[in-house]
Amino acid sequence: MSLNFLPERRASQTRTLGIGTGSLALASLPERLDWARENGFRGIEIAATGRPRDLHAPAVRQEDRERLRQAVSAFDAVAIQAPYQEVFDVTLLSPSSSIRRASVAEIWACFRLVEALGGGVVTIRTGWPPEGVDQDRQREFLAECLGTLDRMAGDHNATVGVLTSDYFRFGERLELLEMLPLRHTGITLHTSLSALLFRHGRTMSAPVENGETLIQRFAPRLVHVQLSDFDNESDGLALGQGRLDIAGIAHALQTVHYQGMVCFDFDPDRVTPEQAAASKALWERAASDVVSN
């Protein structure tokens, strides 16, 4: 069964370079939005995880949504990061129906927020169940929640981007998305959370695809790409003991005609705004070289 259930994108839409508000160690959200716009980013990913420096979607008042909509109107693409298990105990695999409902409600608030901003991708994480929940029940709970979220996303001009982490860590088990009739749900590929797939072509247990092959496999449902910390002393991305090949990632995205946002997702305690701007130039050079060749 094909992964390509997503609606056709507008022909005029092109790949957009963005940055996450959670990546910038600036005091306020308006400052981060201004910095991103002034430094030439055409996409913005708003962290609505509920962390201390992030928004919490249910708490954003109507008047604040209007101001935020005006602020993000300068960008070509908008995405939102939803809360996750470590912050709000958001898990779609809990055996407790009340926890699953509360988790879906947290993500639903992000759909309503992105709709108020003109629509976009909402990146979610599946979370984990407590110990002792067998694989069949995990799949049952997750399928139920993804089906509900997919319908909600369709009602709110949103696309769900399921992050390649937690249940789908390292790109595993994505066949579940093939089995479900999800029209508004795709994949958010995070290069750091999928790092083992890009290191030396193997995990600790088995060989895996390299970065370009992985992107090609995900292409029909790839809706968002998050790039982790750049190592500005090299032409790669710092991933612990491994590095991503920027040119390879740029080439893979070009090959599959990816038209979503490529978004920097930095640790603001490790990467300064100046380093983020330098990383932008590094990525743009690699992307330009791919187009030229």
Side-chain angles (χ1 to χ4, degrees), residues 191-195 198-199 228-229 237-244:
T191 58
S192 179
L193 293 175
S194 300
F198 295 91
R199 289 184 192 163
S228 59
D229 299 359
L237 291 170
L239 289 171
Q241 300 301 312
R243 284 178 181 162
L244 274 179

Side-chain angles (χ1 to χ4, degrees), residues 17-24 41 45-47 49 51 54 81 84 123 125 163 188-193 224-230 237-239 261-268 270-271 276 279:
L17 181 61
I19 190 167
T21 59
S23 302
L24 298 169
F41 287 94
E45 182 176 61
I46 297 172
T49 67
R51 294 175 302 188
D54 295 351
Q81 285 186 352
Y84 48 88
T123 289
R125 285 174 53 177
L163 199 64
T188 291
L189 177 64
H190 192 298
T191 58
S192 179
L193 293 175
H224 195 59
V225 175
Q226 295 173 331
L227 295 178
S228 59
D229 299 359
F230 277 100
L237 291 170
L239 289 171
M261 191 193 306
V262 176
C263 183
F264 290 169
D265 185 41
F266 296 154
D267 179 347
R270 292 181 52 209
V271 178
S279 295

Side-chain angles (χ1 to χ4, degrees), residues 2 36 86 163 220:
S2 171
E86 292 85 347
L163 199 64

Side-chain angles (χ1 to χ4, degrees), residues 83 88-94 97-108 145 149:
F88 269 87
D89 197 25
V90 171
T91 172
L92 307 180
L93 293 95
S94 173
S97 60
S98 61
I99 291 177
R100 296 198 305 276
R101 285 196 298 269
S103 299
V104 167
E106 285 287 343
I107 297 169
W108 181 32
C145 291
L149 291 170

Side-chain angles (χ1 to χ4, degrees), residues 9-10 12-20 36 40-45 72 74-79 223-227 253-254 257-264 280 283-284 287:
R9 297 184 177 94
R10 296 188 300 272
S12 61
Q13 187 176 11
T14 58
R15 188 164 67 244
T16 303
L17 181 61
I19 190 167
F41 287 94
R42 302 306 307 161
I44 194 72
E45 182 176 61
V72 303
F75 298 94
D76 295 335
V78 176
V223 297
H224 195 59
V225 175
Q226 295 173 331
L227 295 178
L253 294 174
Q254 177 74 13
H257 306 292
Y258 172 70
Q259 294 182 325
M261 191 193 306
V262 176
C263 183
F264 290 169
K280 176 177 180 287
W283 171 261
E284 289 177 333

